[in-house]
Amino acid sequence: MPIVATTPPAPEHRQRTEQACVDAIAALQRRVLEAVALGGPLVEVMDSLCRQVETLAPGVLCTVIEIDANGCLQPVAGPSMPAAYSAALVGVPIGPSAGSCGTAAWRRKPVEVQDIANDPLWRDHKELALQFGLAACWSNPIFIKGEDRVGMTFALYYREVRAVEPFHRSLAEACVQLCQVALTHEYSRRQIERLAYFDGVTGLPNRTLFNDWARQALQAAEVVNGAAPETGAITLLLLDLDRFKTINDSLGHAVGDQVLAGLAKRVAGVLKPGDLLARLGGDEFVVLLPGRDKPEALLLAAAVHAVLVDPMQVGSNDLRLSVSIGLSSFPADAADVSSLLKSADMAMYEAKRNGRNCTRAFAQAMNEDLDSKLRIEVALRRAIAASVLTLHYQPKLHLGDGHLVGVEALLRWNDPLLGPMPPDVFIPVAEECGLILALDAWVLGAACRQLGDWQRRGLAVPSMAVNVSPLRFKQDDVAGQVAGLLAQHELAPHSLTLEVTERLMLEDDDHARDQMTRLDALGVRLSLDDFGTGYSSLSYLKRLPVAELKLDKSFVRDLETDADDRALAAAVLAIGRALSLAVVAEGVETEGQRLALQQAGCEVAQGYLFSRPLAARAFEDWLLLRPPSPPTP
Ligand code: C2E
Ligand code: CA
Ligand code: CA
């Protein structure tokens, strides 16, 4: 048992009236709470708390120590403690006999040691304490509100062997509460900072933090560039996971998140100190490489591809991952962070176009491609305003008796300056720049007006199919527009079919699903375009109110020669039969294809064999001049 000197309480405190103590503590509380409320940094608030305690209790040395996530001591404040003592505590693990503070955090209870020199709890640390003249220490754990964890300790040291006096106890009790308030405040601040600057799935810095970093790195490089250009290079790699959507759609978002976290870990593993990895969002990651030139960055990109070769085990799945990488350099390709990202983005798309799982460096020609997109966008806006867009109509025929099932409206743009522009070129541009919403709304209106006009004039056109961009389903009120058009042109709802490409999954999007349900309720048919080229699963088909599948023309093209394509076409037809969906083959150009389709059980088809898409007048002529089809049995 240590011998405890029965030191009487210091005389200046003995005289204190109880009321004076209460007042002193209340004043301390007010000042500290004010400092917390004003958002002062934890270190400053705790430092001021300790100083005030030491003024109220002369002879006492006060410390606040944070317990980090690894259970190690990290001194926060101890204004009267020798700096060397505090420094020696950094990183000391808490434990069953780790001095007063380390033990208090371990036991989750206050620990009072009246004689450091002889107490077993201080066995491993007493030399340090005694060297600085510390003889007794009473430490209190501070719990983090809402978490079952000790986040800090608050301790009073004495320079003589002694027990804690009653006033010091009351003071410490108040301080423990204040520390808890300050710590809880600090934790929410850190949490908010984490949410604002870090990505929850991978733990990596997010776009905001990345932009900050990158701006600073570029500024620093500019300074260096002034002096020695060769050392000021910065390269950037933009990584985009290949076919991530398929993983997400088929295996679910939980698996998708694990894949992203796993990818982040593997990529981080090949980086060097100073390289900055961040997640920009979705499946896009970025690595900023200050002071590394293009050849070095290409080597790193190769290392990233290599580290993804081994399959990733996620749950019961062995997933093969790959990334497409775009590289850009500062200052060669761009002068600021956003242009640097944009250049890397263009290069990354080039990598995707080149078959994915590869790296491409930015080249000026990519900018020219962007220029041409901009030219198309400007011209398209002009074309819409000047009403130079038209619709052509391609018949869909019944393969059995040749009767007209309906027509598909296809947009045509013959620009006075740029010449005829194929939809395959300008539709993607319109989707990128947002013009597609207005464009498709116009097409829908014009097609319905045309159908109403034909039906009123007694032309036997049973139905009209209109292509609608998936973006419209996600962002616009197609159903509302359709309801208005059906009424305006007195059309039967089932005489209108909306074709939407299968490439963009719509089921995840609440708005798109709602639109489809409303269209289905109206009686309008939905058709999945380019079927077979996307990712549709059978359950997807069952969940969406789809009435028709359009067998993509890429499968029809080689139907006569390619056994795989024949099998695919047969499979699509079987799916159609199983789910009671009509199947329409598109792009039928030869008699051989027509026969093969018919033999496989396909009932409806369209293609150059029957007719190219025709302007309205030309289509009317085609309709009137074609031999009458035999009456349907
Ligand atoms: P799609 O919906 O698959 O349209 C069929 C495309 O195949 C049309 O090309 C048509 O002209 C072409 N085609 C028809 N028969 C044959 C054939 O026998 N052989 C070959 N090789 N091709 C044939 P187009 O008109 O160039 O349209 C291309 C794509 O642009 C369309 O593919 C559609 O996805 C999109 N598109 C066209 N009009 C619109 C529109 O108003 N809105 C939207 N969002 N997209 C449209
Ligand atoms: Ca179509
Ligand atoms: Ca198609």
Side-chain angles (χ1 to χ4, degrees):
M1 262 314 272
I3 304 155
V4 177
T6 50
T7 333
E12 68 270 25
H13 291 141
R14 208 171 4 190
Q15 272 91 46
R16 264 181 202 276
T17 61
E18 234 169 69
Q19 189 53 45
C21 292
V22 172
D23 290 349
I25 292 175
L28 167 80
Q29 281 174 320
R30 206 183 47 245
R31 280 194 296 270
V32 173
L33 288 176
E34 256 171 32
V36 172
L38 287 174
L42 185 70
V43 172
E44 276 174 28
V45 175
M46 290 296 107
D47 184 78
S48 142
L49 173 86
C50 291
R51 285 177 197 279
Q52 293 179 57
V53 169
E54 290 171 359
T55 309
L56 289 172
V60 161
L61 292 95
C62 183
T63 65
V64 175
I65 294 177
E66 187 165 354
I67 314 300
D68 68 18
N70 301 318
C72 293
L73 307 187
Q74 302 294 346
V76 174
S80 304
M81 277 293 170
Y85 181 71
S86 303
L89 292 186
V90 173
V92 169
I94 65 169
S97 57
S100 302
C101 294
T103 312
W106 175 265
R107 291 189 187 161
R108 307 157 64 84
K109 278 197 214 116
V111 168
E112 182 176 350
V113 171
Q114 300 181 354
D115 179 9
I116 287 178
N118 293 300
D119 196 300
L121 295 185
W122 276 85
R123 199 189 51 224
D124 298 340
H125 304 284
K126 68 177 171 202
E127 298 308 333
L128 185 68
L130 296 175
Q131 175 190 336
F132 291 107
L134 305 170
C137 177
W138 177 47
S139 182
N140 295 270
I142 318 282
F143 288 88
I144 305 161
K145 257 211 174 101
E147 281 181 45
D148 186 33
R149 194 168 89 74
V150 175
M152 291 199 306
T153 57
F154 173 81
L156 302 182
Y157 285 82
Y158 296 103
R159 292 200 180 275
E160 65 271 21
V161 172
R162 57 169 291 179
V164 182
E165 80 172 65
F167 171 59
H168 295 175
R169 280 198 199 279
S170 325
L171 197 53
E173 260 166 37
C175 288
V176 164
Q177 281 179 358
L178 291 171
C179 286
Q180 194 183 33
V181 171
L183 185 64
T184 308
H185 203 266
E186 172 70 9
Y187 268 61
S188 15
R189 194 192 58 75
R190 289 182 196 169
Q191 177 68 10
I192 288 167
E193 192 179 275
R194 248 196 308 278
L195 290 177
Y197 291 112
F198 290 87
D199 159 49
V201 173
T202 59
L204 291 178
N206 64 11
R207 184 186 285 271
T208 313
L209 184 53
F210 170 77
N211 280 337
D212 278 1
W213 278 355
R215 249 194 308 276
Q216 284 169 23
L218 258 57
Q219 265 165 15
E222 258 161 8
V223 175
V224 178
N225 267 320
E230 67 279 9
T231 50
I234 292 186
T235 39
L236 183 147
L237 296 179
L238 185 74
L239 282 64
D240 191 289
L241 197 50
D242 297 328
R243 303 178 206 278
F244 179 59
K245 216 174 149 12
T246 318
I247 294 177
N248 240 348
D249 288 339
S250 52
L251 301 173
H253 287 271
V255 171
D257 283 356
Q258 279 172 275
V259 166
L260 292 173
L263 176 83
K265 220 165 132 193
R266 287 200 190 180
V267 174
V270 299
L271 299 182
K272 289 202 184 126
D275 300 346
L276 306 173
L277 171 64
R279 180 179 174 209
L280 292 184
D283 55 351
E284 260 186 15
F285 295 81
V286 65
V287 189
L288 190 76
L289 305 163
R292 299 237 243 154
D293 59 11
K294 199 164 142 181
E296 285 178 279
L298 284 171
L299 273 178
L300 177 65
V304 170
H305 290 304
V307 84
L308 293 177
V309 165
D310 284 341
M312 186 184 291
Q313 171 106 32
V314 180
S316 57
N317 308 289
D318 263 341
L319 301 173
R320 282 181 189 284
L321 302 179
S322 68
V323 288
S324 300
I325 303 180
L327 184 160
S328 63
S329 345
F330 170 87
D333 301 332
D336 56 58
V337 176
S338 87
S339 331
L340 194 62
L341 275 171
K342 210 179 277 167
S343 304
D345 193 54
M346 284 184 226
M348 189 273 291
Y349 271 102
E350 199 53 37
K352 293 258 180 207
R353 263 196 294 277
N354 279 275
R356 302 186 174 95
N357 193 18
C358 60
T359 299
R360 287 291 176 274
F362 174 78
Q364 211 48 46
M366 296 174 188
N367 245 337
E368 282 148 24
D369 182 47
L370 186 75
D371 280 355
S372 83
K373 275 187 192 160
L374 274 175
R375 266 204 306 279
I376 292 175
E377 180 185 337
V378 170
L380 187 55
R381 284 185 197 278
R382 211 175 38 219
I384 294 171
S387 314
V388 298
L389 299 168
T390 56
L391 290 181
H392 278 194
Y393 302 91
Q394 187 176 39
K396 292 182 183 178
L397 300 173
H398 194 275
L399 288 181
D401 58 18
H403 78 263
L404 181 70
V405 174
V407 294
E408 175 179 3
L410 291 158
L411 194 51
R412 292 294 175 261
W413 172 21
N414 191 356
D415 193 82
L417 291 177
L418 303 175
M421 296 289 289
D424 283 339
V425 171
F426 71 82
I427 296 282
V429 177
E431 286 183 330
E432 252 175 63
C433 69
L435 272 177
I436 193 69
L437 300 185
L439 203 58
D440 272 358
W442 176 83
V443 170
L444 195 57
C448 287
R449 189 175 335 109
Q450 184 64 71
L451 182 62
D453 180 53
W454 281 333
Q455 291 187 345
R456 254 188 314 283
R457 284 162 45 208
L459 271 92
V461 183
S463 79
M464 173 74 73
V466 180
N467 295 286
V468 179
S469 162
L471 283 182
R472 260 210 103 191
F473 277 92
K474 290 187 173 179
Q475 297 174 8
D476 213 354
D477 184 18
V478 200
Q481 192 199 4
V482 164
L485 288 169
L486 292 179
Q488 185 187 352
H489 300 292
E490 298 172 358
L491 300 174
H494 66 262
S495 67
L496 184 62
T497 300
L498 300 189
E499 295 189 5
V500 57
T501 55
E502 183 217 8
R503 269 174 209 285
L504 260 166
M505 295 294 260
L506 293 164
E507 67 173 342
D508 285 344
D509 189 291
D510 286 342
H511 184 77
R513 218 184 5 238
D514 176 58
Q515 287 288 316
M516 294 193 174
T517 313
R518 282 171 56 197
L519 286 164
D520 188 48
L522 282 173
V524 171
R525 298 172 77 246
L526 279 175
S527 168
L528 275 193
D529 210 344
D530 305 343
F531 190 77
T533 61
Y535 310 120
S536 293
S537 60
L538 288 182
S539 58
Y540 176 62
L541 286 181
K542 264 183 72 175
R543 279 195 296 273
L544 291 182
V546 174
E548 178 183 285
L549 305 178
K550 293 197 82 171
L551 176 63
D552 190 62
K553 54 181 173 291
S554 59
F555 303 120
V556 173
R557 194 180 51 221
D558 299 324
L559 215 48
E560 295 155 281
T561 50
D562 189 326
D564 287 346
D565 281 352
R566 250 198 318 278
L568 246 154
V572 171
L573 286 160
I575 291 170
R577 269 192 298 275
L579 298 175
S580 309
L581 305 173
V583 174
V584 178
E586 60 182 23
V588 183
E589 293 183 355
T590 66
E591 189 55 35
Q593 290 164 348
R594 187 190 72 79
L595 257 169
L597 284 163
Q598 204 176 357
Q599 275 160 8
C602 179
E603 293 193 329
V604 182
Q606 67 187 94
Y608 296 166
L609 176 66
F610 315 109
S611 165
R612 293 196 169 247
L614 300 167
R617 276 300 308 277
F619 170 74
E620 289 171 22
D621 292 344
W622 176 89
L623 192 58
L624 295 173
L625 289 176
R626 71 196 290 255
S629 50
T632 24

